[in-house]
Amino acid sequence: MSIIIEPFRIKVVEPIRQTTEEERVEILKNAHYNPFLIKSDDILIDFLTDSGTGAMSDRQWGALMQGDESYAGSRSFFRFESVVKKITGFKHIIPTHQGRAAERILFSIMVQKGDIVPNNTHFDTTRANIEFNDAEAVDLVIPEGKIPELEHPFKGNMDLEKLEELLEKYHDRIPLGMVTITNNSGGGQPVSMENIREVSRLLHKYNMPFFIDACRFAENAYFIKLREKGYENKSVLEIAQEIFSYADGCTMSAKKDGLVNIGGFLAMNDDELAMKARTLLILTEGFPSYGGLAGRDLEALAVGLEEVLNEDYLKYRLRTAEYMGERLLDAGISIIRPTGGHAVYIDAKAFYPHIPPSQFPGQTLVCELYKKGGIRGVEIGSVMFGKKDKETGEEIPAPMELVRLAFPRRVYTQSHFDYAIEKIIETFKDRENAKGMKITWEPPFLRHFTAKFEPVE
Ligand code: F0G
C-alpha cells in the first residue's frame, strides 16, 4: 500500500517541551501516579482524549473573525443551522456548549423515574444523565463487540434480538432508544447502516423515538463506505444523510467530528419536544440562537462539519489508528481488534499477566507509558469501572483492563506516532519489571480523575 500522507501542511506550531525519563519519574511521583494530575506542559504526546483537542484549519480560524455576536438571531447561528440541516435533515437544531449539555436537556424532557433507555453502549455521561433521572441505561451491543481479539466489521452493532425482547417486555417504560456512532466505550467500533435501519424499524414498530449519539458520525460513515456492500460509491455526506434519515433526532459533541475545541447540539423533528428543549436551554445554556456558545464558535463549527466529511481527511484519520494497531500487533501486544476510528485500546491484562486486576494493570501501563515516553493515555478498567463490595469493601474488578490511546484530530504527525509506537514496544519489552498499583486515597465518585496511587512493593 502506498503511504497515506497527512492531508494538510502546518501553518502554526505549538512547541512540545522535552523531558527526560528522570524528570518524568519525579513528575509521576508528585502526581501520585495518576496522569490526570500531570500538567499538560509535562506531557510529550497527549493521547488522553480526542475530545476538544483537535487542530482547526485556516478556514476555521478565518471564520472565527466573521462571528456575529448578536444575542438573538445571529447570522452565525443560521450558517451553523443550515450546515447541520444539510447533513442531518432534522427540523430543529439547538446549539449547546458540548455533548453532555444536549444529553441533559434531552433526558430531562423525555426520561422519567423507572424508565429504561437502550443503546449499543452508553458513554459515561449519557449513562450518568439517564441515571440522574432515576432511570436505567441498558447496553445491548452484539456479543462480538465484547471480545477484544475478535475481528468483525461492525462491532458497534446493536443486538437486535435483545432489543426486541426488551421492547416487548418493557415498552411502557422505554421513552426512546439510542445508538452511539462510533461505539466509543466498546473500542470506537462502527455500526452498520443495516443495523441502524433495523434499530429504527424496531423502535418505530413500538412507536418509540430513535436518537443517535452522533459524536463520531463521519468516522462511522466512512467505515460504512469501506466495509458495507452498496456504499462503496456513495459520498460520506450521502451516507451520513442516510444514517440520520432513520432517526428522529440526535445529540452531538462537536468536540469530536465537529473539528472544534468546544460545542455541541441537540437536533430533532418533533415540534413539541423542541419547544420543551428550547425552554430548558434558555434556563441553563442560553438563548436558542447561541446555546452557550459564542457566534464565532458557531462559525468554526459550521466549517468543521463540512471539513470532516472530506474523504482524504477520513482516509488518513482511520489509517492512523490502523497503522498503530498493526505495529503493536506485530510486536505481540494485544489490542481491541480491529482498530476503531479515534483510538487504539491496549489490553493491559494481556500486557501484564503477572499483575492481578486488584492491582490495576491498566494504571500501571498508563504510568509506565508516561515514564518511558511522556505519553499520556487513559485507564479504562478497574480504576474507572471497578466497584467495591458494599459489605466487605473488597474491590470487584471491571470486565476488561484497557488503556485507551485516543488521537486528537490533525495534531500529531506520523513521526509522533512512530515515536509512541517505539515507546510502547520498549515498555512491553520491560514488562516483567513493572509493578502493580494500590490506591492510597480516593473520592466517593468518579475516582479515576483524582485518586492517588502508589506502586505495590
Ligand atoms: N457521547 C460520546 C460517545 C462521547 O464519547 C462523549 C465524550 C460524549 C457523548 C460527551 O460529550 O464531552 O462534549 O460532553 N467523550 C470524551 C472522550 C470525553 O474522551 O471519550 P462532551
Side-chain angles (χ1 to χ4, degrees):
M1 197 197 301
S2 57
I3 288 178
I4 294 169
I5 59 168
E6 287 88 5
F8 49 81
R9 50 186 181 177
I10 295 165
K11 194 177 297 217
V12 175
V13 297
E14 182 181 356
I16 296 175
R17 192 174 81 82
Q18 302 281 344
T19 48
T20 62
E21 187 164 335
E22 292 71 56
E23 285 171 324
R24 293 193 293 266
V25 166
E26 211 41 42
I27 292 166
L28 199 56
K29 199 167 146 208
N30 292 335
H32 304 279
Y33 300 92
N34 184 348
F36 275 105
L37 304 177
I38 299 174
K39 289 182 187 147
S40 62
D41 275 350
D42 293 332
I43 307 283
L44 276 172
I45 308 274
D46 207 346
F47 288 154
L48 189 64
T49 177
D50 66 320
S51 180
T53 51
M56 292 209 294
S57 67
D58 52 354
R59 278 186 63 219
Q60 286 178 292
W61 283 107
L64 285 182
M65 281 307 293
Q66 294 169 29
D68 171 5
E69 305 303 342
S70 304
Y71 190 94
S74 156
R75 176 178 70 235
S76 303
F77 169 74
F78 293 111
R79 181 149 179 232
F80 150 80
E81 186 193 40
S82 83
V83 175
V84 180
K85 277 194 172 166
K86 184 176 84 188
I87 298 170
T88 67
F90 296 128
K91 190 170 169 197
H92 301 282
I93 314 297
I94 301 169
T96 59
H97 80 275
Q98 62 184 81
R100 68 198 72 183
E103 291 160 13
R104 195 188 69 82
I105 292 172
L106 181 69
F107 300 136
S108 304
I109 58 179
M110 289 196 84
V111 172
Q112 284 171 6
K113 190 172 172 176
D115 281 353
I116 298 172
V117 181
N119 200 330
N120 46 356
T121 314
H122 290 274
F123 180 66
D124 322 10
T125 58
T126 320
R127 170 175 294 280
N129 271 298
I130 290 168
E131 289 173 353
F132 190 71
N133 287 294
D134 295 318
E136 200 183 327
V138 177
D139 294 338
L140 297 178
V141 74
I142 52 168
E144 292 89 333
K146 294 184 211 158
I147 308 170
E149 64 282 7
L150 188 97
E151 292 272 350
H152 183 290
F154 292 105
K155 272 176 119 172
N157 279 358
M158 182 91 110
D159 186 326
L160 297 168
E161 264 173 45
K162 287 235 178 80
L163 177 64
E164 181 138 38
E165 257 170 52
L166 192 84
L167 290 170
E168 241 168 56
K169 209 161 158 192
Y170 296 112
H171 50 87
D172 344 334
R173 288 171 57 191
I174 303 177
L176 78 160
M178 292 189 84
V179 161
T180 304
I181 59 173
T182 57
N183 187 25
N184 181 10
S185 311
Q189 300 291 329
V191 181
S192 72
M193 190 72 89
E194 189 192 355
N195 194 256
I196 292 171
R197 201 182 299 127
E198 282 303 300
V199 169
S200 166
R201 193 183 58 77
L202 282 175
L203 287 166
H204 290 150
K205 188 169 123 190
Y206 289 85
N207 282 326
M208 273 157 212
F210 171 33
F211 274 71
I212 292 178
D213 178 339
C215 301
R216 301 178 180 86
F217 75 96
E219 290 171 9
N220 201 103
Y222 196 63
F223 273 123
I224 289 176
K225 183 173 171 117
L226 295 178
R227 295 181 184 171
E228 196 162 346
K229 216 167 163 281
Y231 291 93
E232 316 67 354
N233 298 321
K234 296 218 160 142
S235 70
V236 178
L237 173 63
E238 284 168 332
I239 296 171
Q241 285 167 332
E242 184 179 337
I243 291 175
F244 289 113
S245 75
Y246 299 120
D248 302 290
C250 74
T251 56
M252 172 79 188
S253 167
K255 299 171 75 171
K256 285 85 166 173
D257 276 353
L259 296 180
V260 287
N261 304 113
I262 196 73
F265 58 85
L266 173 62
M268 59 190 68
N269 286 328
D270 187 285
D271 296 336
E272 199 187 320
L273 202 63
M275 190 267 293
K276 287 187 188 158
R278 288 201 178 98
T279 307
L280 202 55
L281 185 86
I282 294 179
L283 275 181
T284 58
E285 292 274 301
F287 194 73
S289 65
Y290 71 87
L293 295 168
R296 56 179 171 272
D297 296 331
L298 293 167
E299 291 282 344
L301 177 48
V303 178
L305 285 169
E306 279 174 345
E307 288 182 350
V308 81
L309 296 170
N310 178 295
E311 296 186 18
D312 289 334
Y313 160 75
L314 285 166
K315 190 178 191 182
Y316 137 84
R317 173 72 180 160
L318 300 194
R319 178 64 192 147
T320 303
E322 190 185 46
Y323 173 76
M324 181 185 259
E326 284 166 4
R327 301 275 307 271
L328 297 185
L329 284 169
D330 283 350
I333 298 170
S334 300
I335 58 167
I336 294 193
R337 294 165 66 177
T339 45
H342 68 294
V344 167
Y345 294 67
I346 301 176
D347 183 345
K349 223 189 258 183
F351 201 101
Y352 292 131
H354 63 289
I355 302 178
S358 59
Q359 293 182 9
F360 310 116
Q363 194 66 25
T364 301
L365 183 53
V366 287
C367 288
E368 288 295 311
L369 291 180
Y370 177 71
K371 197 169 85 187
K372 295 249 175 0
I375 299 158
R376 176 156 69 173
V378 63
E379 192 261 12
I380 304 188
S382 292
V383 176
M384 195 181 268
F385 291 127
K387 293 198 176 97
K388 280 216 164 82
D389 187 299
K390 282 201 182 100
E391 274 155 33
T392 62
E394 235 171 273
E395 287 279 340
I396 307 169
M400 290 198 269
E401 304 293 336
L402 301 173
V403 166
R404 182 184 80 171
L405 304 174
F407 310 138
R409 291 170 180 76
R410 306 189 292 203
V411 170
Y412 294 116
T413 63
Q414 181 163 356
S415 75
H416 290 116
F417 279 90
D418 284 333
Y419 167 85
I421 290 161
E422 193 179 277
K423 292 296 170 184
I424 297 165
I425 294 172
E426 210 176 281
T427 306
F428 186 58
K429 287 190 176 143
D430 188 38
R431 62 192 178 277
E432 274 153 32
N433 293 319
K435 296 192 173 94
M437 291 280 168
K438 63 175 184 225
I439 295 181
T440 57
W441 178 85
E442 64 182 292
F445 298 106
L446 296 169
R447 66 178 177 186
H448 56 286
F449 290 123
T450 54
K452 297 178 179 173
F453 300 83
E454 247 172 33
V456 175
E457 283 316 319

